[in-house]
Amino acid sequence: MSHAVSPPNGEAIWEHSPAYQRALSNFDAAADVLNLDPNTASRLRRPERIMIVSVPIRRDNGKIEVFTGYRAQHNDSLGPYKGGIRYHQDVDVGEVSALAMSMTWKCALVGLPLGGAKGAIRVDPLSLSYTESQQLTRRYTAEIGPIIGPEVDIPAPDMGTNERHMAWIMDTYSQRHGRATPEVVTGKPVDVGGSVLRTESTGRGVVYTIEEAAGEVGLTLKGSTAVLHGFGNLGTYAALELVKRGVKVIAVGDVSGGYVNEKGLDIPAMFDYARTHRTLEGCAGADRIGPEDVLTIPCDVLVPAAIGHVITGANVNKLRCRILAEGANGPTTPDADVVLQRQGVHIIPDILCNAGGVTVSYFEWVQGGMNFFWSEDEIDQRLSNLLRAAYSRVRDFARERNVSTRTAANCVAIAKVDRVMRLRGLYA
Ligand code: NAD
């Protein structure tokens, strides 16, 4: 989905993107409920800084190609900026800024001492060879170098990037600063100073929130059905965790298509297949449909786990699920959101549902800072505690104020940032 941004006469270019408008619409709804001071709102409605960079690489055919890279920093009232780096062909400055804003709320909601940022390169990750991907990552790191750092802004993986890219970022930053600096990035391989469980953390966290939601709506997970749209880092680990709990995963979709088996897909085999082949193209044991068609398959739990804005006014009436677990960032447009609420679908909003990733990123940052690493059990327990506590805060706020779970999550997060901004005051 391409969001054309028409640069106006030197004004805020991000505001012209539909993705940013949707983020603002969610923010404004929460600000209304909180009766937020307009002075604070005016600061929070825009990112604090956006860097747009040119990233040239020499392609394997010898030609030089220049890509556009971004790093948007929304707010660092609670602590250093934190947010993933996305490689996707349709990403633009508005979407990156919207995702940075969402990171501010996510960190605040879970109670992490971190602010919100997001980075991206406008490139199809599947079009890059290993060498090209490494060059691109290193040059992008050098370009955004002046605004990142272990106490300033700490990137992490997002769609199209993984622990390998984080190792290259760590190495590039370290070479330029003359010392090994693992804490500049999270989501690194464990051997490079990463944390155990970081890779699995987002998907696992999604399932912890699904467990909470199932308890709330009276759904027994064992024997229930699930569908996932997206089968990358988040989707694969969420699917494996669901299967462990006796959930039948009946359909998954990725960029290559949708794969359905009403008797239940062999998720461990598909996990291995996707690892080896980069997509599910050609995998056995499933009927093939379009990638977006999986969203409308009747199921108990639907997990968008890929790109944003896939549940829209155009398909929302065809959705048949009890719980919508927003693994992906921004999968639901505001008009679709209204319909889902009317239909009584229980929504676990993205900033809560997928917060497991940044939570274990935070653990990695903390462990890296003290050079002392926790066990897998310790990390899992801390992750579970923080996410379930955040879930309770959202549930309680939604009940007390009779608002949607999305508005409740945003309110809890925005109120926290507002309190800190008031205490810190305005440097002017
Ligand atoms: P990934 O790159 O590992 O996987 C993305 C998946 O989406 C792949 O299976 C890909 O084939 C699929 N996909 C891409 N375009 C698609 C399309 N048009 N239709 C259907 N499928 C498509 O990415 P990820 O890290 O798993 O991230 C997925 C989502 O989760 C993103 O929205 C991301 O922002 C969010 N998220 C990820 C993390 C994390 O730690 N990785 C943390 C929080 C949120």
Side-chain angles (χ1 to χ4, degrees):
M1 207 175 311
S2 181
H3 304 311
V5 176
S6 19
N9 306 322
E11 351 152 8
I13 51 170
W14 61 89
E15 278 192 7
H16 293 257
S17 117
Y20 201 78
Q21 287 301 325
R22 285 189 274 261
L24 279 183
S25 141
N26 287 332
F27 172 77
D28 290 341
D32 269 358
V33 172
L34 290 172
N35 204 8
L36 191 71
D37 177 352
N39 291 315
T40 311
S42 67
R43 291 174 67 192
L44 288 173
R45 289 181 99 254
R46 48 193 298 150
E48 289 173 349
R49 182 196 273 153
I50 300 176
M51 191 174 199
I52 303 180
V53 295
S54 296
V55 193
I57 60 162
R58 191 180 299 280
R59 297 219 67 149
D60 292 347
N61 63 11
K63 292 203 177 118
I64 288 180
E65 195 168 340
V66 187
F67 295 90
T68 305
Y70 310 92
R71 185 74 185 168
Q73 298 172 334
H74 175 255
N75 187 281
D76 68 346
S77 297
L78 300 186
Y81 299 105
K82 184 93 191 77
I85 292 175
R86 174 176 291 199
Y87 289 0
H88 196 270
Q89 58 276 18
D90 293 333
V91 79
D92 63 35
V93 66
E95 185 162 31
V96 178
S97 305
L99 290 166
M101 181 191 276
S102 148
M103 283 305 296
T104 304
W105 311 146
K106 205 178 294 184
C107 294
L109 175 63
V110 183
L112 310 179
L114 294 165
K118 201 77 176 190
I121 302 180
R122 197 173 161 89
V123 61
D124 175 2
L126 293 178
S127 73
L128 297 168
S129 69
Y130 180 89
T131 313
E132 291 168 343
S133 188
Q134 178 166 182
Q135 272 192 58
L136 190 73
T137 305
R138 288 186 180 279
R139 182 61 189 255
Y140 170 72
T141 307
E143 294 297 336
I144 63 165
I147 63 163
I148 61 168
E151 279 131 26
V152 185
D153 181 355
I154 308 123
D158 190 67
M159 219 163 69
T161 60
N162 55 36
E163 61 174 34
R164 199 172 56 201
H165 301 85
M166 299 307 116
W168 293 330
I169 293 176
M170 178 275 187
D171 185 67
T172 307
Y173 187 92
S174 298
Q175 297 298 342
R176 291 167 63 85
H177 287 78
R179 68 177 183 94
T181 318
E183 328 84 78
V184 67
V185 75
T186 59
K188 302 176 290 291
V190 171
D191 284 338
V192 184
S195 172
V196 289
L197 222 63
R198 173 59 186 88
T199 307
E200 300 87 341
S201 60
T202 317
R204 191 174 289 198
V206 165
V207 176
Y208 288 154
T209 65
I210 291 173
E211 284 182 323
E212 294 295 313
E216 222 182 321
V217 304
L219 172 73
T220 306
L221 281 182
K222 194 170 166 52
S224 68
T225 55
V227 169
L228 293 102
H229 176 256
F231 202 62
N233 172 274
L234 186 153
T236 51
Y237 286 106
L240 286 170
E241 289 292 325
L242 287 169
V243 170
K244 271 193 214 159
R245 286 157 178 78
V247 177
K248 197 161 67 163
V249 178
I250 55 172
V252 300
D254 77 357
V255 72
S256 70
Y259 303 84
V260 192
N261 185 337
E262 291 292 337
K263 294 194 185 118
L265 294 163
D266 183 348
I267 293 298
M270 291 176 93
F271 176 89
D272 290 341
Y273 191 93
R275 276 269 158 112
T276 322
H277 298 84
R278 294 178 89 179
T279 72
L280 288 168
E281 180 77 56
C283 75
D287 295 329
R288 180 79 179 266
I289 57 173
E292 263 67 59
D293 297 335
V294 301
L295 292 162
T296 51
I297 293 177
C299 60
D300 295 308
V301 183
L302 176 63
V303 187
I307 51 170
H309 326 308
V310 291
I311 300 171
T312 66
N315 65 1
V316 66
N317 280 310
K318 293 194 232 149
L319 258 61
R320 295 283 174 272
C321 62
R322 287 179 73 183
I323 295 174
L324 175 65
E326 293 186 336
N329 280 306
T332 311
T333 58
D335 55 339
D337 202 25
V338 173
V339 177
L340 291 172
Q341 281 171 47
R342 209 169 42 224
Q343 290 173 349
V345 173
H346 185 91
I347 300 175
I348 312 172
D350 54 2
I351 62 168
L352 173 61
C353 190
N354 68 32
V358 70
T359 303
V360 178
S361 268
Y362 164 63
F363 297 160
E364 179 177 332
W365 184 61
V366 169
Q367 294 169 87
M370 59 184 180
N371 281 308
F372 179 74
F373 289 83
W374 303 329
S375 71
E376 186 169 333
D377 281 352
E378 280 172 294
I379 293 173
D380 188 40
Q381 199 52 56
R382 288 174 204 265
L383 170 66
S384 170
N385 291 347
L386 284 185
L387 284 191
R388 292 182 203 278
Y391 190 100
S392 303
R393 285 195 283 279
V394 172
R395 186 196 51 217
D396 294 349
F397 191 99
R399 283 183 187 162
E400 277 160 27
R401 304 292 290 269
N402 194 24
V403 293
S404 71
T405 49
R406 188 182 314 286
T407 298
N410 282 323
C411 283
V412 172
I414 293 167
K416 167 84 190 250
V417 178
D418 176 42
R419 281 197 301 278
V420 174
M421 285 173 75
R422 281 166 188 277
L423 287 167
R424 288 182 57 165
L426 179 66
Y427 177 75

